[in-house]
Amino acid sequence: KQEVTQIPAALSVPEGENLVLNCSFTDSAIYNLQWFRQDPGKGLTSLLLIQSSQREQTSGRLNASLDKSSGRSTLYIAASQPGDSATYLCAVKSTGNQFYFGTGTSLTVIP
Amino acid sequence: GAVVSQHPSRVICKSGTSVKIECRSLDFQATTMFWYRQFPKQSLMLMATSNEGSKATYEQGVEKDKFLINHASLTLSTLTVTSAHPEDSSFYICSARVWTREETQYFGPGTRLLVL
């Protein structure tokens, strides 16, 4: 069974700092990997989707990389802002229907 | 992008009652929708896969008689928590699958259920 781990569980940084969130998964036979943002008590907002054949995706200040062979993905956030404060979830889709979610990284950007 | 809505956004009910949660795809049709549950400080766990016009597929450990799923149309799936108990209090999120050039899932905003 696929297991997804996110490190760190929580992160607090001053505004303007660049930061990296980590995601690792145990089974490299994945279909795609997706990073989501979840605000307290809210649903999920998709940030970036990386197909298994891709190595990275970029959107604005966000860059996500995927190293399928080592079972790792990183989400890089440049020039962090207080509005970036949220929980970031990594989800891996294996060859079945199911998304396997990590437990998330809770990010706080201090003004 | 595609929009998925859920209703209600939050519900409080007494123990023993049943609660229905709706998941709608607003501007697209979805033959497959998924229901997830998220307990506090934990990640989302898939409960069941809902297929339009057929029976839902439940994940191991999820009671199909307690969590009734109906996917009667291409834009609506419902999850009914029957005889709810306090331990069913959770955040329930649905997603709808779309096939364009590739598969994408769009997530609803979630429903917060509190059973007293």
Side-chain angles (χ1 to χ4, degrees), chain A residues 65-91:
Chain A
S65 68
L66 173 63
D67 184 343
K68 201 171 65 166
S69 62
S70 67
R72 296 177 187 274
S73 176
T74 61
L75 177 67
Y76 175 83
I77 302 177
S80 58
Q81 303 171 358
D84 295 331
S85 299
T87 295
Y88 290 81
L89 295 170
C90 162

Side-chain angles (χ1 to χ4, degrees), chain B residues 29-50:
Chain B
Q29 295 181 331
T31 55
T32 303
M33 293 184 175
F34 302 92
W35 286 96
Y36 294 83
R37 179 168 53 184
Q38 184 180 33
F39 291 108
K41 303 291 186 182
Q42 297 186 27
S43 192
L44 281 77
M45 295 296 293
L46 180 67
M47 298 175 65
T49 302
S50 169

Side-chain angles (χ1 to χ4, degrees), chain A residues 1 31-32 34 36 38 40-44 46 49 51 89 93 96-104, chain B residues 32 34 36 38 41-46 49 59 91 93 97 99 102-105 107-110 112:
Chain A
K1 180 185 173 182
Y31 187 74
N32 61 43
Q34 201 159 353
F36 293 90
Q38 185 176 30
K42 305 288 187 181
L44 305 181
S46 178
L49 169 66
Q51 300 294 340
L89 295 170
K93 187 173 186 302
N97 270 332
Q98 186 167 353
F99 266 108
Y100 292 90
F101 282 85
T103 50
Chain B
T32 303
F34 302 92
Y36 294 83
Q38 184 180 33
K41 303 291 186 182
Q42 297 186 27
S43 192
L44 281 77
M45 295 296 293
L46 180 67
T49 302
E59 296 300 305
F91 194 54
I93 299 180
R97 183 167 69 183
W99 283 97
E102 59 210 11
E103 178 191 353
T104 305
Q105 283 191 31
F107 286 80
R112 174 77 59 191

Side-chain angles (χ1 to χ4, degrees), chain A residues 11-87:
Chain A
L11 181 63
S12 183
V13 301
E15 181 177 2
E17 193 163 294
N18 302 326
L19 58 101
V20 175
L21 308 181
N22 297 292
C23 172
S24 61
F25 47 94
T26 55
D27 185 353
S28 62
I30 66 169
Y31 187 74
N32 61 43
L33 182 145
Q34 201 159 353
W35 283 92
F36 293 90
R37 169 186 173 137
Q38 185 176 30
D39 292 287
K42 305 288 187 181
L44 305 181
T45 301
S46 178
L47 298 174
L48 290 165
L49 169 66
I50 310 177
Q51 300 294 340
S52 63
S53 59
Q54 299 174 323
R55 295 193 66 85
E56 68 175 346
Q57 284 285 341
T58 298
S59 176
R61 295 183 293 109
L62 306 179
N63 176 276
S65 68
L66 173 63
D67 184 343
K68 201 171 65 166
S69 62
S70 67
R72 296 177 187 274
S73 176
T74 61
L75 177 67
Y76 175 83
I77 302 177
S80 58
Q81 303 171 358
D84 295 331
S85 299
T87 295

